Amino acid sequence: MKEMELRRDNYCFVCGKENPKGMHLSFHRENGKVKARFSLEKYYQGYDNVIHGGIISLILDEAMAYLQNYEERFLTGKITVKFYNPLLAGQEVIVTAEVKEEKKKIKITKAEMIRVADGKKIAEAEAIMFVKRETK
């Protein structure tokens, strides 16, 4: 079986600008970290007005994957998410991610989501990311 090429097409559900049903989050790099500031609409809820934990996990995973550079592709091998406080629809948060440890073919990454209004941690995640290097 031929190895699948991992292409970027601007249609990612979390950050893709061309996905009409996507979240359209904008990540930027700052001091070796990736950051995004945003709030989520009610249609991402689980319980009434409480953002679904799967959506929070998705965003943490995306932030860690966004640490890749243009010669790499990250594939999540294992992710562990810890939840601390609920995130309500419309609350502004900041998600940050960083590489904790680098090995030859994997990177250990960490991300956290903090509520802007009071600084409370919503959730944090750690992942083992498999690194696929692009060959030309």
Side-chain angles (χ1 to χ4, degrees):
M1 186 167 122
K2 187 178 174 187
E3 188 174 333
M4 186 176 113
E5 180 184 353
L6 299 173
R7 295 178 289 128
R8 293 180 173 97
D9 69 354
N10 216 12
Y11 224 73
C12 171
F13 178 70
V14 178
C15 67
K17 302 302 181 210
E18 294 181 32
N19 187 334
K21 295 185 179 187
M23 303 173 105
H24 305 129
L25 299 189
S26 292
F27 291 92
H28 65 277
R29 294 178 188 276
E30 184 178 304
N31 299 324
K33 295 183 179 183
V34 167
K35 293 186 177 191
R37 187 174 180 148
F38 59 93
S39 62
L40 297 172
E41 302 288 330
K42 189 173 174 74
Y43 50 76
Y44 293 112
Q45 75 178 29
Y47 291 110
D48 183 26
N49 210 39
V50 177
I51 300 301
H52 194 286
I55 296 296
I56 291 169
S57 300
L58 171 77
I59 293 168
L60 292 167
D61 183 52
E62 180 68 13
M64 292 183 286
Y66 222 84
L67 290 162
Q68 66 191 340
N69 61 44
Y70 287 102
E71 294 81 39
E72 300 173 329
R73 300 294 185 269
F74 283 12
L75 297 167
T76 306
K78 179 180 179 182
I79 184 170
T80 304
V81 181
K82 295 179 185 176
F83 296 93
Y84 297 95
N85 291 288
L87 175 60
L88 303 180
Q91 289 183 323
E92 192 171 27
V93 291
I94 295 175
V95 64
T96 59
E98 64 185 321
V99 175
K100 287 180 54 180
E101 186 179 341
E102 295 189 49
K103 297 183 180 179
K104 187 173 181 178
K105 294 186 179 184
I106 65 168
K107 293 190 182 187
I108 310 299
T109 57
K110 182 178 181 177
E112 66 180 9
M113 185 179 292
I114 304 289
R115 195 164 39 226
V116 172
D118 59 11
K120 286 191 177 180
K121 188 184 292 190
I122 302 299
E124 68 182 9
E126 188 169 294
I128 297 171
M129 299 295 222
F130 295 106
V131 179
K132 181 182 184 303
R133 306 231 186 263
E134 293 299 301
T135 55
K136 297 181 182 187

